[in-house]
Structures are given as structure tokens and as C-alpha cells.
């Protein structure tokens, strides 16, 4: 859970943006880097980030638990974060959530036994005009239909099989 | 430039006073004293950045200043708003303030366990006092109260997160009074909690002060011997030569025994000086201390309400409650028997022969742990 | 056809990249500003333009800029608010994705005007693919001499950095944003002091919305007075509206604030009417925080006048019969939508997004969420509606930051205009789970002249 050399370099670059002594400002970006590398934020990796930025560990825990994007537990290889706020709801997000849940045999908040998929409900992601939608990794999947969900799951399975 | 500092005139509930520029409305009101002073649950004079959060101290600014007499549109937090020359403030004379404050108290109580009968803070709890005076009389919150996973903070300090009102004072103490902070606020919104994330003991030198600043019974002293109700104990001014702190404390006696040691609190419930862990937790023998004399408890709390004054010799308040409240009768926090399973009618607290122990109350059946308090019966009344 | 100042070139091939952007008149405004204008003059020009903040509050931008403190030897900062998390709002994303150089250009001019040598774009964490687009634009601008040291030989240095949030609507509130940028929890600060005096790292700071900063480009290009002539009254220039909900053509539209709400909804140029041939029931015209309006009050004011898509007209009648332009998140509900359910999802949203610092918001949003859930699932009682009203009333105005108000207003407006629907839920516990429920307040579409 220590950073790779490239990521350490990146951390240095980020810290250099801020005035001396304000390296705490790098905390959110550095936690993103850590999550990119590890998939989630373990106590060890947060303690490592704390030492890297000369912070008390509690300062890191406070921040990591405040923001919803940080995973404090391991998650599936593919995380489906489906929006359920008003504009998405009136365009059928509830049905999409139920459909994904049925199809994968999990409830929101759960991960499939094979560790491939996590289903999560989230609040508005700024794609209300393209509803229903979900975030998958770095990107948005918009205008979701059951067919589209099928295709996405299919593709994930194929990719996972190929990478193994 | 003249050396003389210009004082600002401020009028609060019709009483005018002159204060230094930079004084907050709350502190100006405290200089006047009495009913004019808004209640403050999160502000703490000795803690930088404290205040602004609980919103119990909201007041109406009827005129911003002599230069700009326009009223402020919103109620303001008196603990974080500085006075201007000629400012006119309404506290208890403002219907808006009273209504908002009743709302704030209700918000603070909807998720509070109201487990006063088993809470060490009962009798010296700011929330209990607050709800006496400002609370509505019935709970309108028809849902299960919030609960938290229990955290262990080590041998000295007990955390009951369900009682916490998120005043942040204990976080500021750790930041500003101790050399290392290991606890903080985790999660956000209604899930926010005081915790350490992974189990860690709070044990650095001055951390015990979090107990004194906590306005409720969320952080209490685990070394408080016998768990006596505070109103059975008698606070005494005492001091010792301490290399770490001022060594000036209140020692709380029952008979010849020191049950606990706290900082000395002023009339606003704030400590006069921080004390170290050693004085607080380790020095429980009468021989550790030089006794100065009885401490004055000058608050309208049950400690000084006279219930027990005859027995333990605390100072009686100067005026009767009804007078302080201008003829209004206090809104009783609750009729304890109607809301509490641990405190059935047949159990009369004041009739107990000695200090009331938590063992005097029935245990929770399922876990044998904390007694159940709020039940179906309580639906009609809150505090 | 309305005037377009921001999206006029969005359909040009390759406009996302420097070459096409430059060839089509890009960076002319930077050239003009840095070479021919002083910072004070730019602030004046922005004042003259009447440009108002596009982030929601509509505060005059030039005036805001003139408040920035200039203590000797203390650096100042400009921070671009790209947190865009208000439900219904997705216009900033569109600008950044398709016209990144327009934002960078606006940022350079504004940084020069405010004296910010280090400027930050704080973008919501979920827009994870956009920082790369922006960083590429920044790199291109720098390679071509628009950023970096001694820009255009003026002696002005400027760097722009993109920093991601990590999932918190509250970080759109400017002081929470600054806390977050400092690596802390997104707890709004207690004001005063205001950011203009003590902002990022206690330095004087201005926080502006993405669209506001992009709009500085046309203001400089055409001059403040010409900009002010577009639009109407104090609603000058153009505004991006992100339209969503039950309409035929959801998306981001640039309007010049002279068109009527009715035209915006029904004209083919914009929303293209209600989807599936249904009828309009209600609309939240300015992002989830602003009051919902039933169709009749949406299309016409209480006085019976046509309602227009601008700051003044949308707020005509106050909260009793009006709403707000807000952030321009335009959410349309058709006749089959249930206002109670929609309001419930918003209450749940605000509960989820409360930072938890102050008691009325922390406890009040939780309470409203729970009551609304009960009503929505047929477990509510009549008195719950009054209780809900009372709870929102006691949150509003009593909190540290406006999130408390933002949570209270939608609930208040829903009860104010759709109380019958709440009562129906209470009276028909079995039925309200079965079907969506549109009862009252239909307004038949009125013919639109195009
Ligand atoms: C809860 C809350 C969320 C906000 N979210 C945003 C946001 O996502 N984007 C934004 O530009 N402004 C947002 N604002 C408004 C900002 O506080 C601030 O007024 C704005 O960035 C100022 O920019 P402007 O003057 O250019 O509009 C929000 C305000 C509040 C209270
Ligand atoms: S534990 Fe006590 S001091 Fe700490 S935040 Fe909660 S109420 Fe305040
Ligand atoms: S109003 Fe809500 S979001 Fe704003 S400071 Fe208070 S608790 Fe936090
Ligand atoms: S409501 Fe789902 S993206 Fe906005
Ligand atoms: S004491 Fe002022 S807000 Fe808490």
C-alpha cells in the first residue's frame, strides 16, 4: 500500500502547488491516487498518506469518511453507482436499480460473490438530462435501459475474463 | 490617534451596556447577566473557533448599528456575531427567537436518548437545563432514535455517542489543549459521530478536559467512583502542587471520599483553567489535596435547585425559579415516570438511602447493558 | 432565435482543442484584456455588463470582484466553482467538456483582474473524466503563451490547477469548497469573515461559477455595455439552462432571458414539449432547491402576466406564487408524476448531503426525510403534513449555510401548492404505492407561436 514511484512523483507535483506548510491541501487528490492504486482505502493506506503529508491519521480518517467517493471497504471490480434523485427517479431509475439487483442477485450496497460487481445507489451525478444513468469507474453510462444494462454487464464479464 | 478606546453601546432586551469593540453579542449579554443571556451549547470562550454550530444562541438584531440601523434579516448566532456601536438586540423579547430556539431544542432532542436517569451528567447537563426552559412539552418525533456502534476510548473516558450534540468542543480541546488529536468527527450529516476510527485510547496529558467541556453526558469520567448522582455529591475547591497544570480543581466529595475531580467551572459552565489527567484521574485521595472550601454552584441546575441542598450543603440559588423566569413556570423536562422504564414510579430517587447507582435501575433484558429508557409510553412526552 | 454568446461555436469540429478554438476567435478576449486594459478597467467592464453569478445566487459579479481585499504582500486567489451538484443542473459539465478553452480564457482574464497568480478549478469528483480535458486545455494554453510566466509580456504570471472533490454536494457552497480545497471536511465556514477577506489559506479569495467565468469572455469581447443590452432588466446576457425531466428534448440550452417559460418548454428549439404527449403538471425551474411551481403558476404569474425565463420574472410573487432562476436546472414533471415522491427524493438528497455541523440542518433534514418517506409509502397521518411544514419552517434561516434553506424550500413549496396530493396519500394508504399520482393543477398546453 505504499505508492509506486510514479505516483510518489505525482504527489510531489501536487504538493508543490500549495504554499509551504499547506500540504494538507493535497489530501483529497492523494486519497484519489491511493484509491486508484488499491481500489479502496484501508487503515494502513490512510496512515501511509498521513505520514506522507505529515498529518495525524485522524485528519485523514475524518476526511475519508466525509466524502462519498472514498471506499472504506473493498468493492467489486466493477461498481455500478446508479443515481436515484428526483430527475432520474421520474425517468425510471428505480426500475433500473431493481433490474440490476435482480440480474446480479444483490441488493444496493452489496457485492456479488465472485467479487465482480458492486451495486450502489447514489444521489444526483449531474447527468439529469440523460437519465436514468449510473457511474461506472471513471465514466458515466447514460440513457439506461434494460437492454443497455444487459450489454454493460456482458461487456464487464468479457473484460474480466480476458484480463484473467 | 487617541489612546482611549471607544466603547460600543449595545442594547439587549432593553438593557444597554458598553463593551469593548470586538465583543460578541453573547459576551456582551453575559456581562449583563441573567435572563438576557442566550444559552450557548457549543461556544466555549477558551476554545478558538468554537461556536456557531448548535444555534441555541440565536438572537434577533433589531438594529445593526447607530450608523446603519437596519435590522438583520436573519437571526444570528450571538456567539459569533460581534457587536456594533448602537446595535439593538432582542433575545427573550423576540417571539422569533423564542420560536427558533424551541425548534433548535426540539432538533437537539429528537435523537437524544433522554436517558437522564442513568446518565452521569444528569444534574449538570446543559441540554437538560436548556430543555427545562425552552423545550416544547411533547415529542413529535415518531421514529426510532439514532444509535451508534459503541467505541472504547480507553480507561479514562467513556463515550456515549447517542447523547452527543456535535458541539465540536472536544475536538477543539484535543487540537488546542493537548499535543495530539486521536479522536475526531467521522462521517457526515446525521451520521456524523465522535470516534477514533480504529480503536485507540484517549490518554494524552490534557485530554481529560474533553469531559469538562462536553455539554452533555457524551464524554464522561470512567474513574468517577461509585457513579453517584451529582446531586448527592458536594463540590469542594481544592488544589495541589502540580508540575503539569494549575492544580486548581473541584473535588467532588461524598462523605470523606473524593468521587471525582473536575476543572473549576465559572457561572457559564466553563472551566477557569485546564487540568491535567493526573490531577483528574489519579488523585482521588483526600490526602492528595489541600481543601479550600465549598464551591459555589451558581446555576439553575438541579444541583442547586434545592432538592438536596439541605442534605449536601450546596448553595441555594438566590432567587426562586419562577422569579428568574418572570412568572413563567418551568417547562418540566419530563415526568420521569411517564417516559422511563428504568425509573418506575415505585422507585423514588430521593428516597434512596445512599448515592443512586446504576444498579438501582433495572437492566436491559436482552443485553444486560444500558437500561432501556424511551419506550412506547414516552411517545406523548419528550423533554 | 435567441442570441448565443457561449455556445455559439460549440458545433465547430475540434473546438475542444486549441487550434480550432483559436482559429475561431478564441483568446482574443485575453489579448484585449491583458494588452489594453487594467485590472480595474476589467472589473468596471464586468460591472457595466450587469453579469450576475450563474452558480445560483445571482450576485452581481463585478461588485463581488470589487470587494476583494488587497492587503500588502498577501497573495489573492480566484477559485472556479465546478462542483455542480444541484439536482437538475448539468450545464457546467457541458461547458467544460465541449468548450474547455472558453473557461480557461475566462479564467485567465478574471485571474488578471483579481490579481490571482494561482487559480484553482474545484470540480466535483464524479466528473472524473473532465479534469483531463481541462488539463489538456491548460497545457495547450500554456504552450501557446496564454498561461505561465510573464503572459504576453505583461509581467502577469498565472497558473491554473484542477482539483477534484470526492463526493459532497455541500462543497459547492463556497466556504465548504475552500475547506475542501484545503484538504479538510467540507464544513461551511461561519461568516464573516467572507472569502473576499479571508478565503483560501486565509487569503483574499473570489469564488465564481464556471458559467460566470466563461461569460467574462463575451463581456470583454463585446464590451460591458453591449452585453448589458442583451436580455432584459437586471437579467443581462445569456444563461445556460439544463433542462430535464419529462420533456422531449432534455439538454443544455443557451437562452437570452427574454423568452417565456411556455416557449422554452414547448418550442422545438428548446425542450420540444412534454414527452409522450402528456400534459405539464409542475416544474422546478432553477435546480432542486428552488420552489416547485404548478403549471398554472409556472406559465403565468399570479397577476396573470406571462412568466419569462429570467431572474425577475421567475421570482415574481415571491415564494408564495413564484420561484427562482437559481442555477438554471429546469426539472419538468408531467401529469403522471407524484409530487410527494419527487419531494421525498429531494429531502433524502439533502439529508444525505448535510455536513452535519449545525443542529437544525443535521436533525431537520433527517426528520423531513423520515416523515416524507412515511407519507409517500402510505404510513403518514394528516398531522404529519403540518409537522413537516413546521420542521421546514424552523430549519429555514436558522442554519450556518444556505443548505438548510435549500432543503426547506422544496418541501415548503410542495406542501404549499400540492397539499391535496399529500392528503391523498394520507387518505389512500393502499393506493399510493400502486401508482404514480397526478391529481390537480393541470394546465393544458397553450398554443405556441414560433
Ligand atoms: C449548498 C450549496 C451548494 C452550492 N453548489 C454550487 C455549485 O455546485 N456550483 C456553483 O457554482 N455554486 C454553488 N453554490 C453557490 C456558491 O456558494 C457560490 O455562491 C457561487 O459559487 C458563487 O459563484 P457565482 O457568483 O459565479 O454564482 C452552492 C451554494 C450552496 C449553499
Ligand atoms: S462528545 Fe460532547 S464535547 Fe464532543 S462533540 Fe459531542 S457533545 Fe460536544
Ligand atoms: S446548514 Fe447543513 S450543510 Fe450548512 S453548515 Fe449547517 S449542517 Fe452543514
Ligand atoms: S438526478 Fe440523476 S443525475 Fe441528476
Ligand atoms: S453557542 Fe452559539 S451557536 Fe452554539
Amino acid at each position: 500500500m505504499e505508492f509506486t514511484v510514479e505516483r510518489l512523483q505525482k504527489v510531489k507535483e501536487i504538493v508543490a502547488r500549495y504554499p509551504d506548510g499547506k500540504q494538507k491541501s493535497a489530501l483529497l487528490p492523494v486519497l484519489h491516487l491511493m484509491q486508484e492504486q488499491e481500489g479502496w482505502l484501508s487503515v494502513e493506506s490512510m496512515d501511509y498518506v498521513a505520514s506522507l503529508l505529515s498529518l495525524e491519521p485522524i485528519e485523514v480518517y475524518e476526511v475519508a469518511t466525509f466524502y462519498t467517493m472514498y471506499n472504506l471497504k473493498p468493492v467489486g471490480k466493477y461498481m455500478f453507482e446508479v443515481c436515484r434523485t428526483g430527475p432520474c427517479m421520474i425517468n425510471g431509475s428505480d426500475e433500473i436499480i431493481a433490474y440490476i439487483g435482480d440480474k446480479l442477485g444483490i441488493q444496493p450496497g452489496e457485492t456479488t460473490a465472485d467479487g465482480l460487481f458492486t451495486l450502489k445507489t447514489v444521489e444526483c451525478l449531474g447527468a439529469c438530462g440523460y437519465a436514468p444513468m449510473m457511474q461506472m469507474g471513471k465514466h458515466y453510462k447514460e440513457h439506461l435501459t434494460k437492454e443497455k444494462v444487459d450489454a454493460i454487464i456482458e461487456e464487464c464479464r468479457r473484460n474480466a475474463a480476458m484480463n484473467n | 490617534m487617541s489612546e482611549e478606546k471607544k466603547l460600543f453601546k449595545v442594547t439587549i432586551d432593553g438593557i444597554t451596556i458598553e463593551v469593548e469593540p470586538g465583543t460578541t453579542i453573547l459576551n456582551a449579554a453575559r456581562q449583563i447577566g441573567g435572563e438576557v443571556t442566550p444559552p450557548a451549547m457549543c461556544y466555549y470562550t477558551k476554545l478558538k473557533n468554537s461556536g456557531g454550530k448548535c444555534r441555541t444562541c440565536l438572537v434577533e438584531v433589531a438594529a445593526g448599528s447607530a450608523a446603519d440601523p437596519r435590522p438583520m434579516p436573519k437571526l444570528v448566532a450571538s456567539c459569533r456575531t460581534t457587536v456594533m456601536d448602537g446595535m439593538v438586540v432582542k433575545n427573550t423579547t423576540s417571539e422569533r427567537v423564542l420560536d427558533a430556539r424551541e425548534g433548535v431544542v426540539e432538533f437537539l432532542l429528537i435523537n437524544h436518548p433522554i436517558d437522564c436517569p442513568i446518565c452521569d451528567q444528569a444534574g449538570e447537563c446543559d441540554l437538560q437545563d436548556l430543555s427545562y426552559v425552552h423545550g416544547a412539552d411533547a415529542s413529535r418525533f415518531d421514529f426510532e432514535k439514532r444509535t451508534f456502534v459503541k467505541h472504547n476510548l480507553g480507561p479514562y473516558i467513556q463515550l456515549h455517542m447517542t447523547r452527543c450534540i456535535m458541539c465540536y468542543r472536544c475536538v477543539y480541546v484535543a487540537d488546542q489543549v493537548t499535543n495530539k488529536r486521536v479522536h475526531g468527527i467521522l462521517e457526515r450529516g446525521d451520521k456524523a459521530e465522535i470516534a477514533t476510527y480504529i480503536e485507540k485510547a484517549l490518554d494524552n496529558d490534557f485530554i481529560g478536559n474533553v469531559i469538562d467541556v462536553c455539554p452533555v453526558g457524551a464524554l464522561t469520567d470512567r474513574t468517577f467512583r461509585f457513579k453517584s448522582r451529582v446531586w448527592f455529591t458536594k463540590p469542594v475547591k481544592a488544589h495541589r502542587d502540580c508540575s503539569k497544570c494549575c492544580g486548581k480543581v473541584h473535588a467532588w466529595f461524598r462523605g470523606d471520599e473524593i468521587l471525582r475531580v473536575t476543572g473549576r467551572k465559572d457561572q457559564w459552565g466553563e472551566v477557569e483553567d485546564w487540568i491535567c489527567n493526573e490531577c483528574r484521574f489519579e488523585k482521588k485521595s483526600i490526602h492528595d489535596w489541600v481543601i479550600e472550601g465549598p464551591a459555589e454552584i451558581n446555576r439553575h441546575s438541579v444541583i442547586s435547585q434545592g432538592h438536596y441542598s439541605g442534605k449536601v450543603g450546596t448553595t441555594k440559588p438566590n432567587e426562586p425559579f419562577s422569579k428568574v423566569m418572570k412568572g413563567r413556570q418551568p417547562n418540566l423536562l419530563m415526568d420521569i415516570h411517564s417516559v422511563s422504564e428504568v425509573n418506575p414510579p415505585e422507585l423514588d430517587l430521593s428516597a434512596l438511602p445512599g448515592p443512586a447507582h446504576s444498579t438501582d435501575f433495572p437492566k436491559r433484558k436482552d443485553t444486560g447493558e444500558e437500561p432501556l429508557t424511551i419506550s412506547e409510553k414516552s411517545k406523548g412526552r419528550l423533554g | 432565435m435567441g442570441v448565443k454568446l457561449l455556445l455559439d461555436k460549440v458545433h465547430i469540429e475540434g473546438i475542444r482543442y486549441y487550434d480550432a478554438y483559436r482559429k475561431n476567435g478564441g483568446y482574443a478576449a485575453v489579448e484585449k484584456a491583458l494588452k489594453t486594459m487594467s485590472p480595474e478597467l476589467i472589473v468596471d467592464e464586468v460591472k457595466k455588463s450587469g453579469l450576475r453569478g450563474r452558480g445560483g445566487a445571482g450576485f452581481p459579479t463585478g461588485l463581488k470582484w470589487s470587494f476583494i481585499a488587497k492587503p500588502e504582500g498577501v497573495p489573492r486567489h480566484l477559485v472556479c466553482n465546478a462542483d455542480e451538484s444541484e439536482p437538475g443542473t448539468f450545464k457546467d459539465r457541458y461547458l467544460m467538456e465541449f468548450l474547455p478553452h472558453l473557461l480557461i480564457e475566462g479564467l485567465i482574464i478574471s485571474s488578471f483582474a483579481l490579481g490571482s497568480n494561482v487559480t484553482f478549478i474545484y470540480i466535483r469528483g464524479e466528473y472524473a473524466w473532465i479534469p483531463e480535458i481541462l488539463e489538456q486545455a491548460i497545457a495547450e494554453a500554456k504552450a501557446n503563451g496564454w498561461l505561465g510566466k510573464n503572459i504576453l509580456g505583461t509581467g502577469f504570471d498565472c497558473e491554473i490547477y484542477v482539483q477534484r472533490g470526492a463526493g459532497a454536494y455541500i462543497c459547492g457552497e463556497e466556504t465548504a469548497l475552500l475547506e475542501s480545497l484545503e484538504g479538510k471536511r467540507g464544513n461551511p465556514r461561519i461568516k464573516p469573515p467572507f472569502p473576499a477577506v479571508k478565503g483560501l489559506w486565509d487569503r483574499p479569495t473570489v469564488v465564481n461559477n464556471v458559467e460566470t467565468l466563461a461569460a467574462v469572455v463575451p463581456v470583454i469581447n463585446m464590451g460591458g455595455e453591449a452585453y448589458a443590452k442583451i436580455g432584459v432588466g437586471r437579467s443581462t446576457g445569456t444563461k445556460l439552462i439544463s433542462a430535464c425531466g419529462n420533456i422531449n428534448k432534455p439538454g443544455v440550452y443557451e437562452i437570452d432571458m427574454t423568452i417565456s417559460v411556455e416557449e422554452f418548454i414547448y418550442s422545438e428549439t428548446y425542450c420540444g414539449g412534454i414527452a409522450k404527449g402528456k400534459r405539464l403538471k409542475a416544474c422546478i425551474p432553477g435546480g432542486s432547491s428552488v420552489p416547485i411551481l404548478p403549471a398554472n403558476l409556472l406559465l403565468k404569474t399570479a397577476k396573470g402576466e406571462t412568466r419569462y425565463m429570467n431572474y425577475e420574472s421567475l421570482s415574481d410573487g415571491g415564494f408564495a406564487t413564484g420561484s427562482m432562476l437559481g442555477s438554471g436546472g429546469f426539472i419538468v414533471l408531467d401529469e403522471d408524476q407524484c409530487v410527494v415522491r419527487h419531494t421525498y427524493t429531494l429531502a433524502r438528497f439533502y439529508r444525505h448531503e448535510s455536513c452535519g455541523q449545525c443542529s437544525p440542518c443535521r436533525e431537520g433534514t433527517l426528520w423531513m426525510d423520515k416523515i416524507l418517506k412515511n407519507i409517500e409509502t402510505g404510513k403518514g397521518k394528516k398531522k404529519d403534513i403540518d409537522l413537516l411544514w413546521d420542521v421546514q419552517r424552523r430549519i429555514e434561516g436558522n442554519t450556518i449555510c444556505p443548505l438548510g434553506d435549500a432543503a426547506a424550500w422544496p418541501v415548503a413549496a410542495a406542501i404549499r401548492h400540492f397539499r391535496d396530493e399529500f392528503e391523498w396519500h394520507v387518505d389512500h394508504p393502499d393506493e399510493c404505492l400502486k401508482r404514480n399520482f397526478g391529481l390537480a393543477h393541470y394546465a393544458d398546453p397553450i398554443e405556441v407561436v414560433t
Side-chain angles (χ1 to χ4, degrees), chain B residues 329-378:
Chain B
Q329 274 306 309
N331 231 336
L332 277 192
L333 176 60
M334 57 190 165
D335 168 5
I336 245 174
H337 302 316
S338 78
V339 302
S340 170
E341 284 180 359
V342 301
N343 199 352
E346 59 274 17
L347 188 73
D348 182 357
L349 266 186
S350 54
L352 286 179
H357 295 246
S358 50
T359 47
D360 288 325
F361 305 102
K363 288 268 154 98
R364 208 179 149 129
K365 285 176 201 79
D366 44 349
T367 61
E369 258 205 58
E370 282 203 356
L372 270 180
T373 47
I374 294 308
S375 66
E376 285 305 309
K377 277 188 262 166
S378 71

Side-chain angles (χ1 to χ4, degrees), chain A residues 82-89 93 122-134 140 142, chain C residues 85-90 93 124 244 331 346 349:
Chain A
V82 192
C83 171
R84 57 171 185 169
T85 312
C88 277
M89 182 275 290
S93 61
V122 295
E123 304 295 342
C124 181
L125 293 180
C128 328
Y130 323 115
M133 62 79 64
M134 69 176 182
Y140 284 5
E142 298 169 335
Chain C
S85 314
E86 168 110 346
T89 315
F90 47 100
R93 164 190 170 187
R124 69 177 298 178
C244 63
I331 309 168
L346 297 185
F349 170 84

Side-chain angles (χ1 to χ4, degrees), chain C residues 52-59 61 64 81-86 92 169-174 207-210 212 401-403 406:
Chain C
R52 292 166 70 176
R54 304 298 195 222
F59 193 82
T61 306
K64 182 166 176 173
N81 188 342
D83 193 59
E84 191 164 65
S85 314
E86 168 110 346
D92 297 340
Y169 164 67
I170 189 58
C171 291
E173 195 282 330
E174 55 185 7
V207 181
N208 273 130
N209 173 255
V210 170
T212 313
C401 88
L403 188 134

Side-chain angles (χ1 to χ4, degrees), chain C residues 52-265:
Chain C
R52 292 166 70 176
R54 304 298 195 222
F59 193 82
T61 306
L63 191 61
K64 182 166 176 173
W65 287 8
S66 66
F67 291 155
I68 193 167
K70 295 183 176 167
E72 200 60 34
V74 182
R76 302 187 284 277
H77 293 284
L78 169 66
V79 176
C80 170
N81 188 342
D83 193 59
E84 191 164 65
S85 314
E86 168 110 346
T89 315
F90 47 100
K91 62 182 178 82
D92 297 340
R93 164 190 170 187
Y94 187 87
L95 263 182
M96 293 186 285
E97 250 187 300
F98 299 110
L99 293 165
H101 279 286
L102 183 66
L103 174 61
I104 303 304
E105 191 177 359
L107 279 170
I108 299 169
I109 301 165
S110 311
S111 299
F112 178 68
L114 293 162
S116 166
N117 303 115
V118 181
T119 292
F120 290 91
I121 303 174
Y122 181 93
I123 184 167
R124 69 177 298 178
E126 293 91 342
Y127 286 170
W129 68 99
I130 296 181
E132 280 167 31
I133 298 173
L134 293 171
E135 273 161 3
Q136 185 184 354
I138 291 167
E140 286 178 331
K142 203 167 171 177
N144 287 282
W146 305 106
L147 272 173
K149 293 245 175 285
N150 191 18
I151 302 167
L152 305 182
T154 54
F156 175 62
D157 304 338
C158 185
E159 296 291 345
I160 299 175
Y161 298 113
V162 185
Q163 182 146 329
R164 279 172 72 199
Y169 164 67
I170 189 58
C171 291
E173 195 282 330
E174 55 185 7
T175 59
L177 185 155
L178 295 174
E179 286 284 296
S180 185
L181 206 47
E182 291 183 8
K184 302 176 189 158
R185 296 162 61 81
N187 284 353
R189 297 177 182 169
I190 293 154
K191 297 192 247 190
F194 290 91
V197 178
K198 268 188 171 196
L200 184 60
W201 306 308
D202 283 348
R203 299 167 173 182
T205 304
V206 163
V207 181
N208 273 130
N209 173 255
V210 170
E211 185 190 344
T212 313
L213 292 165
V216 170
V217 175
V219 167
I220 295 303
N221 274 330
M222 62 200 296
E225 272 171 31
Y227 186 90
K229 289 210 177 85
I230 299 166
V232 57
R234 291 182 56 232
S235 300
T236 63
T238 61
K239 174 87 188 85
L240 296 184
I241 305 290
S242 56
C244 63
N246 309 116
I247 46 175
N248 280 318
K249 293 167 53 192
V252 177
Y253 298 100
E254 182 170 8
I255 61 161
D256 70 8
M257 298 202 264
T258 57
I259 63 169
S260 68
V261 175
E262 193 177 321
E263 180 184 347
F264 185 71
I265 295 179

Side-chain angles (χ1 to χ4, degrees), chain B residues 40-43 51-55 57 77 79:
Chain B
M41 298 289 287
C42 66
Y43 170 80
K53 298 184 195 306
C54 70
R55 317 305 284 175
C57 74
C79 65

Side-chain angles (χ1 to χ4, degrees), chain B residues 273-291:
Chain B
D273 210 341
W274 309 115
I275 62 169
C276 70
N277 280 11
E278 192 184 330
C279 287
R280 182 188 305 273
F281 299 124
E282 315 288 350
K283 302 291 173 194
K284 297 283 173 76
S285 158
I286 192 161
H287 306 296
D288 292 327
W289 298 99
V290 181
I291 306 297

Side-chain angles (χ1 to χ4, degrees), chain A residues 86-88 90-91 124 127-131, chain C residues 54 84 86-91 211 239-255 259-267 270-274 280-295 297-300 307-311 313-315 323-334 342 346:
Chain A
C88 277
I90 61 179
N91 278 297
C124 181
C128 328
Y130 323 115
Chain C
R54 304 298 195 222
E84 191 164 65
E86 168 110 346
T89 315
F90 47 100
K91 62 182 178 82
E211 185 190 344
K239 174 87 188 85
L240 296 184
I241 305 290
S242 56
C244 63
N246 309 116
I247 46 175
N248 280 318
K249 293 167 53 192
V252 177
Y253 298 100
E254 182 170 8
I255 61 161
I259 63 169
S260 68
V261 175
E262 193 177 321
E263 180 184 347
F264 185 71
I265 295 179
Y266 291 105
S267 126
Y270 304 107
C271 304
I274 307 301
L280 168 66
K281 175 175 178 176
C283 173
I284 301 172
S288 62
S289 314
V290 310
I292 189 171
L293 287 180
L297 283 176
L298 175 72
L299 303 180
K300 295 232 187 296
R307 209 184 275 281
Y308 293 95
M309 294 285 291
N310 60 47
Y311 293 100
S313 184
L314 277 171
S315 53
S323 183
M324 277 169 82
L325 178 61
S327 62
F330 196 83
I331 309 168
V332 178
L333 272 60
D334 72 24
H342 195 265
L346 297 185

Side-chain angles (χ1 to χ4, degrees), chain B residues 41-42 159-161 163-171 173 183 185 193-194 210-219:
Chain B
M41 298 289 287
C42 66
L159 172 66
H160 287 274
M161 188 52 219
R163 297 175 188 154
C164 169
I165 61 149
M166 279 287 142
C167 71
Y168 284 56
R169 285 176 181 174
C170 60
V171 179
V173 164
H183 81 287
I185 315 263
E193 61 171 335
I194 297 291
V210 297
I211 295 166
D212 285 346
V213 300
C214 186
V216 291
L219 294 168

